[in-house]
Amino acid sequence: MRNAPTILHLDMDAFYASVEQASKPSLRGKAVIVGGLGPRGVVATASYEARVFGVHSAMPMAQARRLAPNAAYLVPRFGIYREISEQVMELLRELSPLVEPLSLDEAFVDLEAGGAAWDEESARLVGMKLRADIRAVTGLAGSVGLAASKMLAKIASEEAKPDGLVVIEPGTERALLGPMPVRTLPGVGPATGDHLRRAGIHTVDEIAEAGEDELVRLLGKAHGHALYAMALAHDERPVVAEREAKSVSVEDTYDVDIHDRVRVGVEVQRLADRCVRRLRAAGLSGRTIVLKVRRYDFSTLTRSETLRGPTDDPAVVREAAARLLDSVDTTGGVRLLGVGVTGLADYTQEDLFAQAAGVRVEHADEEGEPEQTVQEREVTPVERRWAAGHDVRHAEFGHGWVQGSGLGRVTVRFETPESEPGRVRTFRVDDPALESADPLPLVARRPGGAPAEGAAAGVEPVVPGQGC
């Protein structure tokens, strides 16, 4: 372990919920819960105002609604989350070539590798500037932890929440870790935590006191050795630069099982198109098309087909996914569908008929119904959907977001990130003046693309200090 706190851990505070509050002035300072809104949905992120009621990520949405019935419940907008995440990651890459993203809102940075920091004072200054830069560029708050190892830097950022900065000075690690619960250490999940608790081990100090031999006896050689080292504040794991993606995939879970075979086909086509958009956004192509189907009884089937060369052609991916679907029995109902592409490359196969020489891993039935053409599948009417929290534009009232819909009506609040809380109006779901819209930037920008003057100066963000 190094002798200076030059490993930085950034955690964007309540990221999804903070983005929604920044986008929607009427939700600032209020309980906001983002996730799947159906009966099988789970909470992705809850704002601090919602956490007061006991709501937390990964909680079933039905339970969250019981705890916080008056909160705003929104469907995730992953497009804008990814866009803001990339802005943040770009700021991190300016500090060092060694940036290890853990998710859209979390990353490690080796400041020493980039020459950005070499001792406690320089590391603290980098952390302060990073938080100000994130605030200026995105309008959001992030918590920063600085320490001599990844484990301690992550613990420091947890201590910094919300909207703070904590530096763990070398030499103070053992005293800091000692009284913390065993679940603080990486790799100690619920099962390991319960196992240690039954052995009378509740704190990090008690792990160290138990000794390495006892931990190996309780947890096995690899886990026991690693846990003992971490209890002594030893963590030699390096920051690993962003790895290349091995696959690109999308999937949807449905509130009600789908029994209609035509509807299943339409959903697979829609997922294939979404997968290709994500593939192209990453500048990639892929050679193997994968279909995932989870049926009514929770059994999950995966089918794949390998093409002669990599492609990012949506027609090719749609056709391959449709062929794979032909080999799956969905008569009992489908609760989840997914389409993915593996065997990634940074070029595409020019042969438009690459799929003709494809090799199927799982074979479809030799006899079956004549296959519908892609065009026939695409014209199947799909009901217009208005997801809560998503952006819309009305020909008369301008930009807004969906508060809710049902019984043939959709309720919209018209406001923008820079406006006052807006007015609410209700329309028919098929109102021709209402259409889906792209999200607006959270921070006003000059014509040249730089943040507006107030933001660049590091003024207060448009969102209150929220933490994840």
Side-chain angles (χ1 to χ4, degrees):
M1 192 166 67
R2 61 188 73 193
N3 58 9
T6 54
I7 299 293
L8 181 148
H9 181 261
L10 170 70
D11 200 338
M12 296 296 292
D13 296 337
F15 185 49
Y16 297 173
S18 289
V19 171
E20 300 302 340
Q21 289 176 316
S23 298
K24 304 169 172 65
S26 59
L27 297 184
R28 293 172 193 169
K30 297 181 180 178
V32 175
I33 297 169
V34 181
L37 302 190
R40 295 171 179 162
V42 296
V43 175
T45 306
S47 69
Y48 269 91
E49 295 88 349
R51 294 177 195 193
V52 171
F53 299 99
V55 180
H56 57 77
S57 60
M59 171 182 284
M61 191 60 77
Q63 183 181 356
R65 288 186 184 277
R66 289 193 295 270
L67 293 172
N70 297 319
Y73 288 86
L74 307 177
V75 175
R77 297 184 298 155
F78 288 110
I80 189 171
Y81 304 154
R82 281 191 291 270
E83 181 180 331
I84 295 171
S85 172
E86 184 52 38
Q87 291 174 338
V88 173
M89 296 302 166
E90 187 59 36
L91 291 174
L92 299 183
R93 288 190 283 268
E94 291 174 4
L95 298 175
S96 173
L98 292 184
V99 176
E100 182 178 345
L102 304 180
S103 62
L104 289 178
D105 60 344
E106 186 180 1
F108 287 110
V109 185
D110 188 331
L111 299 178
E112 190 173 22
W118 48 91
D119 59 13
E120 181 186 343
E121 182 180 359
S122 59
R124 188 183 295 274
L125 289 173
V126 167
M128 293 170 62
K129 183 178 185 302
L130 174 64
R131 291 178 60 240
D133 288 346
I134 290 172
R135 206 179 269 268
V137 170
T138 70
L140 302 178
S143 294
V144 170
L146 290 154
S149 70
K150 289 169 69 171
M151 176 186 74
L152 292 166
K154 184 171 175 59
I155 290 171
S157 69
E158 288 292 326
E159 294 292 309
K161 291 181 181 180
D163 191 15
L165 182 148
V166 168
V167 180
I168 298 178
E169 301 175 19
T172 67
E173 299 94 345
R174 288 288 303 277
L176 174 75
L177 280 176
M180 290 184 171
V182 295
R183 291 286 303 276
T184 302
L185 299 180
V188 181
T192 301
D194 287 344
H195 199 50
L196 292 170
R197 179 179 53 78
R198 288 194 295 270
I201 299 173
H202 303 275
T203 67
V204 176
D205 260 346
E206 289 171 344
I207 290 178
E209 291 167 4
E212 190 169 13
D213 291 343
E214 176 64 8
L215 291 172
V216 168
R217 186 186 70 78
L218 287 171
L219 305 174
K221 188 172 182 180
H223 202 179
H225 283 312
L227 199 58
Y228 181 69
M230 287 189 290
L232 299 179
H234 297 159
D235 178 19
E236 301 297 335
R237 294 174 300 158
V239 175
V240 179
E242 187 171 5
R243 298 179 178 88
E244 292 184 4
K246 295 182 179 179
S247 65
V248 173
S249 63
V250 296
E251 61 182 44
D252 276 345
T253 300
Y254 302 98
D255 298 340
V256 178
D257 291 346
I258 303 175
H259 294 84
D260 182 359
R261 182 74 177 188
V262 173
R263 168 78 190 284
V264 172
V266 170
E267 290 296 316
V268 168
Q269 299 290 282
R270 185 177 60 82
L271 289 166
D273 286 341
R274 278 176 52 197
C275 184
V276 169
R277 286 197 297 270
R278 186 173 294 184
L279 195 69
R280 287 181 166 181
L284 298 170
S285 61
R287 192 161 178 257
T288 300
I289 314 304
V290 181
L291 175 71
K292 178 180 177 181
V293 179
R294 181 166 297 149
R295 299 190 291 190
Y296 69 99
D297 58 358
F298 286 89
S299 61
T300 302
L301 304 178
T302 302
R303 301 288 185 263
S304 63
E305 177 177 318
T306 299
L307 309 177
R308 190 165 62 190
T311 184
D312 66 351
D313 187 328
V316 172
V317 177
R318 282 198 302 264
E319 290 169 16
R323 287 195 299 274
L324 294 169
L325 179 61
D326 287 341
S327 68
V328 179
D329 179 9
T330 63
T331 53
V334 170
R335 60 186 293 121
L336 177 147
L337 290 168
V339 174
V341 178
T342 65
L344 301 182
D346 58 2
Y347 65 95
T348 59
Q349 173 70 36
E350 293 298 326
D351 178 7
L352 297 179
F353 300 97
Q355 74 275 21
V359 179
R360 184 104 33 107
V361 175
E362 294 286 345
H363 297 284
D365 296 336
E366 293 182 4
E367 302 293 335
E369 294 291 323
E371 186 176 335
Q372 287 180 289
T373 65
V374 174
Q375 289 78 10
E376 289 172 335
R377 292 175 184 269
E378 288 180 336
V379 299
T380 304
V382 177
E383 183 180 349
R384 206 173 177 193
R385 296 178 181 176
W386 300 106
H390 282 220
D391 298 85
V392 294
R393 176 168 290 280
H394 191 274
E396 179 181 354
F397 302 108
H399 191 94
W401 58 277
V402 176
Q403 279 201 302
S405 63
L407 302 177
R409 300 282 177 177
V410 55
T411 301
V412 177
R413 185 180 288 274
F414 290 97
E415 58 186 6
T416 69
E418 297 180 347
S419 73
E420 296 295 320
R423 297 185 63 183
V424 174
R425 296 182 182 272
T426 299
F427 308 91
R428 298 191 320 272
V429 293
D430 59 353
D431 189 325
L434 190 67
E435 61 182 3
S436 297
D438 292 330
L440 298 177
L442 301 188
V443 175
R445 296 189 172 275
R446 297 192 186 98
E453 205 153 310
V459 297
E460 287 298 311
V462 294
V463 117
Q466 310 286 320
C468 193

